[in-house]
Amino acid sequence: MLGWTLLGLVALSGLGAGAPLCLSQQLRMQGDYVLGGLFPLGTAEDAGLGGRTQPNATVCTRFSSLGLLWALAVKMAVEEINNGSALLPGLRLGCDLFDTCSEPVVAMKPSLVFMAKAGSRDIAAYCNYTQYQPRVLAVIGPHSSELALVTGKFFSFFLMPQVSYGASTDRLSNRETFPSFFRTVPSDRVQAEAMVQLLQELGWNWVAAVGSDDEYGRQGLSLFSSLANARGICVAHEGLVPLPHAGSLQLGSVPDLLRQVNQSLVQVLVLFSSARAAHTLLGYSIRCRLSPKVWVASEAWLTSDLVMTLPGLATVGTVLGFLQQGAPMPEFPSYVRTRLALAANPAYCASLDAEQPGLEEHVVGPRCPQCDHITLEDVSAGLLHHQTFAAYAAVYGVAQALHNTLLCTASGCPPREPVRPWQLLENMYNMTFHARGLALQFDANGNVNMDYDLKLWVWQDPRPELRTVGVFDGRLKLWRSQLSWHTPGNQLPVSQCSRQCTEGQVRRVKGFHSCCYDCIDCKAGSYQRSPDALLCTRCEQDQWSPDRSTRCFPRRPTFLAWGEPAVLGLLILLGLVLGLVLAALGLFLRHWDSPLVQASGGPWACFGLACLGLVCLSVLLFPGRPGPASCLAQQPLLHVPLTGCLSTLFLQAAQIFVRSELPPSWAEQLCGRLQGPWAWLVVLPALLAEAALCAWYLLAFPPEVVTDWGVLPTEALVHCRVRSWVSFGLVHAANAVLAFLCFLGTFLVQSRPGRYNGARGLTFAMLTYFITWISFVPLFANVHVAYQPTVQMGAVLLCALGVLATFHLPKCYLLLWRPELNTPAFFLGDAAGGQCSSGPGGAGDSGQTQVTPDPGTSPQRTQT
């Protein structure tokens, strides 16, 4: 082989450009097992396939250097396996590589040849193809998704393994439709996911998306749009670029699309397209002077010579895209030079004719006539193309599957009958193989786990260079320091319909796109759950939040605490009122036998003052954390003592009313029932009635301790809840009836000169009572529930202070500072024995008064 190569190099240097070669003959190699291959060695874009009326042959006139290089990479892999011992020791692989012209009608001819029976060119019809042995064991290719969808269904019928090195459409992952399809490139879904993560990483959520009008572009555009929408990225404009056919450059709706993009806030354009469609779109953009944008390129055109050599390409802006990583192949350029040198050697070409008679040329025509008229310069630009490794690795994938099927070892493969293509499939699913030291694995869908490099076009003459600025291995790692932009000052372009909302704000969408919105503040009690939230989320019942919050905080239980200023003020008032009550009670006990105390009712007055003290002490049940016991005790311990106090005042009011308003005969009979032990028959029933009413209130509608989460902005209010306001009002109404009766019995009574006016004190006491509790009702009903206990405490203390100040304290004043008025004449008057001792202007007397006549003098009153 070395001698053939040296002779070829001499011949190649002598022939020069355009000299005929036999490179196309090298695309076939015999072996124990033969691999078929489909490669875009040429293109038929000028063949006018749209006007075909007969199924005649199609001539591919335009040469594709990349297609040839991919075919040579397959041949290189086959020769490496044959020359090594790691795979298939003792066996020889062969290859049979054909041109597809990038057209389905052309690709079907070699596909039929591959399925022909071994040793012939006929495809026999059988009911069962289990024992059928076609010419090839597996097929490498084709490159494009458009062709793979056609050939994939054809080969899947026979369960012929097919390993593509470039078809990336996600539809080919469907195992039901394409059970025998595999590929050494990732699915377009992976590339679309990488694009979406790039947009997210750079904060671009308002983009345009364009695809080529073929299977690759349509399906890639659909994948990208669905993933973008799911991640909150809005596709503002979307369209398809028609593929140029037979010299036609019909752009369809693309000019309108580009015009809309140019007039909008969109600064990023995702182009999921084949190289030909990208060439058409970018060429039109340059001619129409589209403002510079960020172009996110799909793998199909990112490294295309057709695109990268466009004049004026540097004016389009910034170009980013993803390329699969693969493994380096430093020996490949040398291998290509060797193949070209051998193709220029007539002796070597003659040996190929003798070894490999071209049986199939009668069916499919010459394999690659253009390949016999190329130079090294024609293919040098693509020698390091990234997809060369994918074609190379495809051979190793099939070889590993055959190695496993044959149960080969390092010493060799055991003899057995020839392997049928369908027998490889079982070993290809989830199979791991190695190529150039890189471990690859086919998953259950026939895809490989290959990472991507993020590439940036760096503008150089005559074509841009590729700079790696990130890696995608399922998650994007971006190297921002390596990025450069077309913007002034190298600033990161902004492509957003609306500004980013600040923390604590959500988006209110305007129109049809979720990326166009107004920022709305989250009110207190709600929060922003995530940066992309469209609605504020309500906090839980036991939580609170301020305005524009991103989280909720736990509510702290609160109640009427002892240390609050209002409570401290009321406690001071309680001390004052309770001190005055105790002082008045002490004075009454000290002057028990005095006319003033007896006229005030004696034991009734002391009992009333004691009850008034208990009324004051009942306010101590309202501060502090409420409990079941304190909630139940509040109203009974307030109203029962208050009833006791009011019932003693009612006795005095009744005596005044009987003495002043009833006839003497009636007054004499009734006064006996309002004095002495009989008086308690008025007090005790009143107490029992109020106690029964309170018991009914507690049993039927017991107050309960509740935690109210909504009444305070940041705290949870713990308070006693009244279950029935009607029963609550009835408890108050019983005492109001007593107070009203007292008021009726005294407010019309006229005082006598020189006598103590007890009716006036009672009248003012009842007026104070009514003013206090009538004011309490609207205030209690309208004040915030957190302050209701404070209002009730204040009402109780003011009521007690009012009764004390208008009825009892004036008498204390007389006892301390006007003792000269503490006489029977001033307090007891001239009441006759047996009648109420209180006159119209005096209070009743619990003692008896005897009038003794003295002849010749005016009557004198003597107290016994």
Side-chain angles (χ1 to χ4, degrees):
M1 179 64 72
L2 180 59
W4 289 120
T5 303
L6 293 175
L7 290 174
L9 288 173
V10 173
L12 184 63
S13 60
L15 288 173
L21 306 175
C22 63
L23 188 60
S24 60
Q25 292 178 267
Q26 300 184 44
L27 300 180
R28 182 183 181 190
M29 187 169 63
Q30 293 181 342
D32 298 316
Y33 291 95
V34 178
L35 304 182
L38 299 173
F39 298 90
L41 303 176
T43 57
E45 62 181 74
D46 298 328
L49 295 178
R52 292 175 72 238
T53 59
Q54 296 179 1
N56 51 7
T58 301
V59 179
C60 304
T61 57
R62 184 172 178 179
F63 173 68
S64 172
S65 61
L66 284 178
L68 175 61
L69 292 174
W70 295 334
L72 291 178
V74 169
K75 184 174 178 63
M76 174 181 171
V78 169
E79 292 180 357
E80 283 183 356
I81 294 171
N82 290 338
N83 295 330
S85 60
L87 290 175
L88 303 173
L91 293 178
R92 182 175 181 82
L93 281 181
C95 60
D96 206 0
L97 313 181
F98 286 93
D99 184 15
T100 65
C101 287
S102 297
E103 290 292 343
V105 295
V106 179
M108 281 307 298
K109 286 187 179 181
S111 298
L112 291 169
V113 170
F114 293 153
M115 291 311 303
K117 198 169 185 178
S120 74
R121 59 185 183 189
D122 301 325
I123 300 180
Y126 295 104
C127 293
N128 188 344
Y129 283 89
T130 304
Q131 300 302 319
Y132 185 74
Q133 187 72 50
R135 293 184 60 184
V136 300
L137 181 69
V139 177
I140 307 298
H143 169 259
S144 72
S145 298
E146 195 89 19
L147 299 186
L149 288 171
V150 176
T151 61
K153 291 182 179 180
F154 173 71
F155 290 130
S156 292
F157 173 77
F158 299 96
L159 292 182
M160 165 73 73
Q162 177 183 7
V163 185
S164 174
Y165 50 89
S168 56
T169 178
D170 196 54
R171 286 177 57 187
L172 293 168
S173 298
N174 188 337
R175 292 290 87 182
E176 292 184 2
T177 308
F178 306 98
S180 63
F181 181 84
F182 298 83
R183 53 187 161 196
T184 52
V185 293
S187 163
D188 283 337
R189 182 176 294 275
V190 181
Q191 187 177 183
E193 172 67 24
M195 289 178 171
V196 169
Q197 288 195 24
L198 174 64
L199 299 181
Q200 286 184 303
E201 180 71 21
L202 296 175
W204 297 328
N205 63 1
W206 188 239
V207 302
V210 182
S212 54
D213 194 7
D214 55 10
E215 176 60 31
Y216 173 77
R218 288 190 298 268
Q219 205 259 349
L221 183 60
S222 175
L223 274 175
F224 169 78
S225 297
S226 61
L227 288 173
N229 289 330
R231 306 290 179 83
I233 297 172
C234 297
V235 180
H237 309 284
E238 187 172 324
L240 294 173
V241 182
L243 295 178
H245 290 287
S248 171
L249 291 178
Q250 297 178 357
L251 293 176
S253 61
V254 171
D256 291 336
L257 173 66
L258 292 180
R259 192 178 305 110
Q260 294 172 8
V261 170
N262 206 28
Q263 295 173 355
S264 68
L265 297 175
V266 172
Q267 297 299 319
V268 177
L269 200 151
V270 178
L271 182 54
F272 218 111
S273 166
S274 64
R276 286 193 295 163
H279 177 271
T280 300
L281 179 63
L282 289 170
Y284 181 81
S285 302
I286 294 170
R287 291 194 302 273
C288 295
R289 298 184 178 180
L290 178 71
S291 59
K293 305 289 182 185
V294 177
W295 295 77
V296 179
S298 64
E299 190 176 25
W301 67 270
L302 182 63
T303 59
S304 169
D305 291 336
L306 186 64
V307 177
M308 298 179 80
T309 55
L310 267 172
L313 190 60
T315 62
V316 300
T318 303
V319 179
L320 289 164
F322 291 92
L323 287 182
Q324 63 188 42
Q325 290 182 345
M329 297 176 60
E331 300 92 344
F332 184 65
S334 175
Y335 178 81
V336 173
R337 285 193 293 270
T338 300
R339 289 293 107 190
L340 288 174
L342 291 173
N345 188 333
Y348 178 76
C349 294
S351 67
L352 291 179
D353 289 335
E355 293 177 5
Q356 302 176 157
L359 176 66
E360 68 285 342
E361 272 76 4
H362 297 90
V363 178
V364 296
R367 293 174 184 272
C368 180
Q370 305 93 327
C371 298
D372 294 335
H373 301 278
I374 63 169
T375 63
L376 184 61
E377 288 75 16
D378 295 329
V379 297
S380 60
L383 286 174
L384 299 178
H385 193 273
H386 67 285
Q387 272 188 333
T388 303
F389 173 76
Y392 174 89
V395 178
Y396 274 87
V398 176
Q400 183 68 57
L402 180 60
H403 184 91
N404 297 343
T405 304
L406 292 172
L407 303 177
C408 297
T409 63
S411 59
C413 301
R416 58 166 290 172
E417 64 179 8
V419 174
R420 270 74 178 180
W422 60 268
Q423 293 177 309
L424 290 184
L425 293 180
E426 181 180 355
N427 291 307
M428 292 186 72
Y429 288 123
N430 300 310
M431 180 191 72
T432 300
F433 60 99
H434 294 80
R436 292 278 162 175
L438 181 65
L440 301 173
Q441 182 182 17
F442 290 130
D443 62 18
N445 294 321
N447 302 317
V448 294
N449 53 339
M450 194 174 290
D451 299 337
Y452 279 100
D453 286 330
L454 176 60
K455 298 290 186 178
L456 171 72
W457 278 10
V458 180
W459 302 109
Q460 302 287 344
D461 287 330
R463 52 182 287 159
E465 296 180 354
L466 295 180
R467 176 195 297 169
T468 301
V469 294
V471 177
F472 180 78
D473 56 0
R475 187 167 185 176
L476 179 65
K477 300 177 182 65
L478 188 63
W479 307 330
R480 291 179 178 265
S481 61
Q482 300 295 318
L483 291 170
S484 59
W485 308 104
H486 61 274
T487 53
N490 197 30
Q491 294 295 315
L492 174 67
V494 177
S495 189
Q496 297 175 345
C497 181
S498 301
R499 67 174 180 85
Q500 287 288 340
C501 292
T502 59
E503 287 190 350
Q505 292 183 324
V506 295
R507 303 171 179 179
R508 185 174 64 190
V509 177
K510 301 185 296 184
F512 299 101
H513 293 288
S514 61
C515 300
C516 299
Y517 49 81
D518 293 324
C519 294
I520 306 299
D521 293 345
C522 286
K523 302 299 182 183
S526 62
Y527 70 102
Q528 178 195 22
R529 181 186 293 271
S530 65
D532 298 328
L534 299 179
L535 295 173
C536 296
T537 304
R538 297 293 303 175
C539 292
E540 297 294 334
Q541 180 177 257
D542 58 346
Q543 296 177 327
W544 71 278
S545 68
D547 290 337
R548 297 182 66 171
S549 177
T550 58
R551 53 169 295 199
C552 292
F553 304 91
R555 287 183 180 270
R556 179 177 61 87
T558 188
F559 42 83
L560 189 61
W562 290 97
E564 291 188 17
V567 175
L568 293 176
L570 290 171
L571 290 178
I572 294 173
L573 180 60
L574 169 63
L576 173 64
V577 177
L578 190 59
L580 292 175
V581 169
L582 293 176
L585 181 60
L587 280 175
F588 275 38
L589 292 175
R590 183 178 180 183
H591 299 85
W592 179 265
D593 295 328
S594 66
L596 184 151
V597 174
Q598 294 304 316
S600 299
W604 307 336
C606 294
F607 179 75
L609 282 171
C611 288
L612 197 60
L614 294 177
V615 169
C616 295
L617 291 174
S618 70
V619 301
L620 297 177
L621 295 172
F622 292 94
R625 188 181 186 101
S630 62
C631 286
L632 293 173
Q634 282 177 359
Q635 302 307 321
L637 293 186
L638 164 63
H639 290 286
V640 172
L642 185 58
T643 300
C645 175
L646 292 175
S647 62
T648 61
L649 298 180
F650 172 73
L651 283 173
Q652 298 193 41
Q655 290 181 9
I656 294 172
F657 178 78
V658 167
R659 179 64 179 170
S660 62
E661 301 297 331
L662 297 182
S665 59
W666 292 15
E668 183 178 356
Q669 294 179 6
L670 291 176
C671 279
R673 301 292 186 270
L674 298 176
Q675 295 178 348
W678 291 100
W680 294 105
L681 294 178
V682 176
V683 175
L684 290 177
L687 288 172
L688 291 175
E690 183 66 24
L693 194 59
C694 289
W696 168 76
Y697 168 72
L698 295 180
L699 292 174
F701 310 100
E704 57 185 353
V705 181
V706 296
T707 302
D708 201 330
W709 305 100
V711 296
L712 297 177
T714 63
E715 298 167 319
L717 179 65
V718 183
H719 65 101
C720 298
R721 184 173 71 90
V722 177
R723 295 178 59 188
S724 172
W725 290 105
V726 174
S727 60
F728 181 79
L730 289 176
V731 172
H732 281 267
N735 286 327
V737 170
L738 274 177
F740 184 67
L741 293 176
C742 291
F743 182 76
L744 287 180
T746 58
F747 85 102
L748 292 178
V749 175
Q750 296 183 359
S751 62
R752 295 183 180 181
R755 301 289 179 85
Y756 179 73
N757 188 0
R760 181 175 58 190
L762 280 172
T763 301
F764 280 111
M766 295 306 100
L767 284 175
T768 304
Y769 176 90
F770 284 121
I771 291 172
T772 301
W773 290 107
I774 290 174
S775 302
F776 164 78
V777 172
L779 186 61
F780 187 82
N782 292 284
V783 78
H784 196 281
V785 65
Y787 305 110
Q788 286 180 350
T790 308
V791 172
Q792 196 162 3
M793 287 178 64
V796 170
L797 293 176
L798 289 177
C799 176
L801 181 61
V803 172
L804 186 67
T806 56
F807 186 74
H808 294 290
L809 291 186
K811 296 178 181 179
C812 295
Y813 171 78
L814 294 177
L815 287 173
L816 293 175
W817 288 284
R818 299 295 299 274
E820 68 276 8
L821 297 178
N822 190 8
T823 62
F826 187 69
F827 285 98
L828 301 179
D830 56 356
Q835 292 183 336
C836 297
S837 58
S838 297
D845 185 9
S846 60
Q848 297 180 355
T849 302
Q850 181 179 3
V851 181
T852 306
D854 186 5
T857 64
S858 61
Q860 296 180 354
R861 181 177 299 143
T862 304
Q863 180 178 2
T864 61

